[in-house]
Amino acid sequence: MGEQKIKIMIVDNSKEFCDILNDYILMQNDMVVTGIAENGIEALKLFEEEQPDLIVLDIIMPILDGLGVIEKLNTMNLDPMPHIIILSAVGQKKIIQRAISLGADYYIVKPFDMEVFIKRIRKLLNKNTDNEDVKISLTNSDKAKSKINISM
């Protein structure tokens, strides 16, 4: 992975969560956070400016929610479409199914294990891996190590 760093955009209305996630990603030598947005409208503007490889997206946000962001991205005729990982406290089956059907690559329920999350990013964006083999994951780890537990 000596090539370009994975460009990641974080979209979540919790500043505390964004800061923790940003700090953890900054510790990875193969990833960089290109921007942070607090709602879906900010996310779409930031996406056009930064063109990240991956959007880490919450579902519940003001103005435009995570599903709305994915719907808008789908209308933009993007090539390539960015990868999307949903990180949300919402674990309802219908919402998970809707996010996946709209194009989310992974749906991870908070709280989650940071190390597992970073592995998912690497697997998803590893240029040596056929992305067709990537499976949707519903992760709700109970490991104490590197776990984030923010209920906002």
Side-chain angles (χ1 to χ4, degrees), residues 10-23 56-58 87-88 110 112 114 117 148-150 152:
I10 301 170
V11 185
D12 195 300
N13 62 312
S14 167
K15 181 174 177 4
E16 182 182 4
F17 176 75
C18 290
D19 290 344
I20 292 168
L21 193 57
N22 183 46
D23 291 347
V56 177
L57 186 62
D58 191 11
L87 288 181
S88 182
K110 297 174 187 173
F112 63 95
M114 274 291 213
F117 171 66
I148 289 187
N149 190 359
I150 298 175
M152 293 184 183

Side-chain angles (χ1 to χ4, degrees), residues 102-150:
L102 286 171
D105 295 285
Y106 285 107
Y107 194 109
I108 301 174
V109 177
K110 297 174 187 173
F112 63 95
D113 184 303
M114 274 291 213
E115 290 178 19
V116 171
F117 171 66
I118 294 299
K119 286 178 186 175
R120 296 279 186 262
I121 292 173
R122 289 189 177 116
K123 182 175 181 179
L124 187 62
L125 292 162
N126 183 343
K127 296 183 180 16
N128 298 326
T129 302
D130 183 358
N131 286 335
E132 297 301 315
D133 293 337
V134 175
K135 303 294 183 210
I136 304 306
S137 174
L138 178 60
T139 304
N140 191 357
S141 177
D142 58 357
K143 291 182 183 177
K145 184 177 169 190
S146 69
K147 184 178 175 182
I148 289 187
N149 190 359
I150 298 175

Side-chain angles (χ1 to χ4, degrees), residues 13-141:
N13 62 312
S14 167
K15 181 174 177 4
E16 182 182 4
F17 176 75
C18 290
D19 290 344
I20 292 168
L21 193 57
N22 183 46
D23 291 347
Y24 197 85
I25 291 170
L26 288 175
M27 292 188 301
Q28 312 306 310
N29 61 9
D30 59 340
M31 299 177 193
V32 62
V33 175
T34 59
I36 297 174
E38 293 182 0
N39 64 61
I41 299 298
E42 282 181 22
L44 293 169
K45 289 177 187 171
L46 190 59
F47 172 80
E48 288 185 7
E49 294 169 15
E50 299 296 334
Q51 301 287 306
D53 303 309
L54 170 68
I55 300 173
V56 177
L57 186 62
D58 191 11
I59 290 291
I60 307 298
M61 296 181 296
I63 306 174
L64 182 65
D65 69 8
L67 295 177
V69 170
I70 302 172
E71 288 170 345
K72 294 281 189 192
L73 289 171
N74 284 333
T75 66
M76 294 169 68
N77 297 320
L78 302 170
D79 188 26
M81 179 78 165
H83 291 283
I84 298 169
I85 296 179
I86 304 287
L87 288 181
S88 182
V90 177
Q92 294 174 335
K93 190 174 180 179
K94 281 186 174 184
I95 293 174
I96 294 170
Q97 289 173 338
R98 179 72 177 141
I100 299 305
S101 71
L102 286 171
D105 295 285
Y106 285 107
Y107 194 109
I108 301 174
V109 177
K110 297 174 187 173
F112 63 95
D113 184 303
M114 274 291 213
E115 290 178 19
V116 171
F117 171 66
I118 294 299
K119 286 178 186 175
R120 296 279 186 262
I121 292 173
R122 289 189 177 116
K123 182 175 181 179
L124 187 62
L125 292 162
N126 183 343
K127 296 183 180 16
N128 298 326
T129 302
D130 183 358
N131 286 335
E132 297 301 315
D133 293 337
V134 175
K135 303 294 183 210
I136 304 306
S137 174
L138 178 60
T139 304
N140 191 357
S141 177

